[in-house]
């Protein structure tokens, strides 16, 4: 007699698992749908609309709205005022990013190692970051920078026109920005420092490591990712600078502090050339993307080298 082989039972577990995952996906999409709608309405669509306007001759004062292709971009690349504004933006970014990162780290190390009144030091360093840009501008315009009675000239015993001299105006804006925004970097560094396990320092102390050795061999390497994040965020924020410069110098004196966003604002809302202004902003957008991708690539290579 021939032996009969029983058919293997068909399991429904994989099918049930797929159905559960599909149901969870549907529920998840319902939860994120409001955010996606808002994201598309206020970010994706304006981005597409701005790109479309940068390829046209749209003018808010009227006139023909015609497709001009890359004519606006060609005009921007040949515009010396655009290049000067872009150079001011790059200079401001370099001058502000370095102290904002180093001071944020230094303040965080100081507060982390203090054993008394930590709440007061945290408030002192982070407090200015909570101020609106208009308040910061009025504070520095009325109390710090006035040549006759300003706090800065009174302390240094000088009579410098901090916002009226083209050679020092950019440095003055950097000083104001560092005072105003360093608290954010300080807070990120402080949170990262508090997440470092204490036993690493205890083991290093047993081996006779000095405070400098602990900082160089433990603290700074473990803060690498936080430093990378802070550098990226700071570069993006500095490249998009506008508020404090517009309120305090309006791009002067002699256009020495005018960033590219302010130039785009002037072209679009004073010169009424929205198409040309959109092209300028997209040039800045491409620059920001290049800087961000370059920084991420450097961070990835660094992590691969350390791993």
């Amino acid at each position: 007699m021939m032996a009969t082989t029983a058919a293997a039972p068909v399991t429904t577990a994989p099918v049930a698992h797929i159905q559960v995952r599909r149901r969870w996906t549907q529920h998840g999409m319902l939860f994120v749908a409001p955010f996606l709608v808002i994201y598309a309405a206020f970010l994706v669509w304006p981005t597409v609309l701005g790109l479309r306007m940068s390829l046209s001759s749209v003018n808010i004062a009227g006139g023909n709205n015609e497709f001009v292709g890359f004519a606006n971009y060609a005009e921007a690349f040949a515009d010396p005022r655009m290049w000067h504004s872009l150079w001011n933006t790059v200079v401001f970014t370099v001058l502000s990013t370095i102290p904002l990162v180093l001071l944020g780290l230094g303040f965080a190390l100081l507060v982390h190692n203090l054993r008394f009144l930590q709440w007061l030091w945290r408030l002192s360093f982070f407090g200015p970051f909570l101020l609106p840009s208009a308040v910061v501008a009025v504070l520095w315009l009325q109390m710090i920078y006035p040549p006759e009675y300003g706090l800065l000239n009174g302390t240094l015993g000088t009579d410098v026109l901090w916002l009226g001299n083209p050679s020092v105006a950019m440095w003055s804006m950097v000083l104001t920005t560092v005072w105003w925004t360093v608290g954010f970097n300080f807070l990120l560094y402080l949170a990262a420092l508090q997440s470092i396990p204490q036993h690493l320092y205890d083991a290093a102390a047993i081996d006779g490591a000095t405070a400098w050795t602990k900082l160089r061999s433990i603290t700074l390497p473990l803060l690498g990712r936080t430093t990378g994040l802070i550098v990226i965020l700071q570069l993006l924020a500095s490249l998009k600078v506008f508020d404090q410069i517009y309120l305090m110098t309006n791009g002067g004196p002699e256009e020495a502090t005018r960033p590219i966003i302010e130039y785009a604002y002037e072209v679009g809302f004073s010169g009424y050339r929205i198409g040309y202004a959109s092209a300028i902003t997209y040039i800045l957008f491409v620059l920001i993307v290049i800087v961000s991708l370059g920084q991420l690539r450097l961070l990835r290579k660094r992590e691969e080298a350390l791993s």
Side-chain angles (χ1 to χ4, degrees), residues 5 10 30 40 82 88 100 114 121 131 137 153 160-161 165 172 193 228 236 248 250 299 301:
T5 305
V10 178
L30 290 176
M82 192 282 293
N88 287 339
L100 280 169
L114 287 176
W121 299 110
L131 298 176
N153 276 338
V160 177
L161 296 174
N165 189 337
S172 301
L193 283 170
L236 297 181
M248 296 180 67
N250 197 22
L299 290 175
K301 286 185 177 181

Side-chain angles (χ1 to χ4, degrees), residues 133-156:
S133 57
V135 175
V136 173
V138 171
L139 177 65
W140 283 76
L141 282 173
Q142 300 297 325
M143 299 183 62
I144 310 297
Y145 285 145
E148 298 85 4
Y149 56 88
L151 181 62
L152 193 56
N153 276 338
T155 303
L156 300 177

Side-chain angles (χ1 to χ4, degrees), residues 41-154:
F42 293 98
L43 186 62
V44 176
W45 172 242
T47 301
V48 175
L49 182 61
L51 181 60
R52 176 187 172 188
M53 288 192 298
S54 71
L55 302 174
S56 67
S57 60
V58 58
N59 191 313
I60 60 176
N64 295 328
N65 181 10
E66 300 176 352
F67 177 79
V68 297
F70 292 98
N72 288 327
Y73 292 92
E75 181 181 353
F77 283 118
D79 186 355
R81 299 185 68 193
M82 192 282 293
W83 285 110
H84 181 66
S85 301
L86 182 60
W87 174 250
N88 287 339
T89 304
V90 172
V91 170
F92 176 86
T93 300
V94 173
L95 294 180
S96 61
T97 298
I98 296 174
L100 280 169
V101 174
L102 295 180
L103 288 176
L105 175 60
F107 291 159
L109 289 171
L110 176 63
V111 173
H112 183 67
N113 290 285
L114 287 176
R115 301 305 178 191
F116 61 95
L117 296 178
Q118 280 200 2
W119 66 270
L120 178 61
W121 299 110
R122 294 177 184 177
L123 178 62
S124 300
F125 292 136
F126 185 70
F129 182 73
L130 302 176
L131 298 176
S133 57
V135 175
V136 173
V138 171
L139 177 65
W140 283 76
L141 282 173
Q142 300 297 325
M143 299 183 62
I144 310 297
Y145 285 145
E148 298 85 4
Y149 56 88
L151 181 62
L152 193 56
N153 276 338

Side-chain angles (χ1 to χ4, degrees), residues 106-258:
F107 291 159
L109 289 171
L110 176 63
V111 173
H112 183 67
N113 290 285
L114 287 176
R115 301 305 178 191
F116 61 95
L117 296 178
Q118 280 200 2
W119 66 270
L120 178 61
W121 299 110
R122 294 177 184 177
L123 178 62
S124 300
F125 292 136
F126 185 70
F129 182 73
L130 302 176
L131 298 176
S133 57
V135 175
V136 173
V138 171
L139 177 65
W140 283 76
L141 282 173
Q142 300 297 325
M143 299 183 62
I144 310 297
Y145 285 145
E148 298 85 4
Y149 56 88
L151 181 62
L152 193 56
N153 276 338
T155 303
L156 300 177
T158 59
D159 56 353
V160 177
L161 296 174
W162 296 101
L163 299 178
N165 189 337
S167 61
V168 298
M170 182 63 78
W171 290 95
S172 301
M173 295 311 309
V174 169
L175 178 61
T176 301
T177 303
V178 169
W179 175 85
W180 178 30
T181 61
V182 71
F184 180 72
N185 297 342
F186 155 76
L187 196 65
L188 292 179
Y189 269 126
L190 186 62
L193 283 170
Q194 293 174 345
S195 66
I196 298 178
Q198 181 61 35
H199 67 80
L200 297 177
Y201 296 106
D202 296 338
I206 294 175
D207 292 336
T210 62
W212 170 248
T213 303
K214 294 178 184 178
L215 175 65
R216 179 171 52 86
S217 303
I218 300 176
T219 305
L220 294 182
L222 292 179
L223 291 178
R225 289 190 175 182
T226 303
T227 300
L229 173 64
I230 289 175
V231 169
I232 292 177
L233 294 177
Q234 194 57 60
L235 286 174
L236 297 181
S238 296
L239 287 172
K240 297 184 295 182
V241 62
F242 173 76
D243 295 5
Q244 63 269 38
I245 293 180
Y246 179 76
L247 292 171
M248 296 180 67
T249 67
N250 197 22
E254 301 176 12
E255 301 182 353
T257 60
R258 184 184 60 190

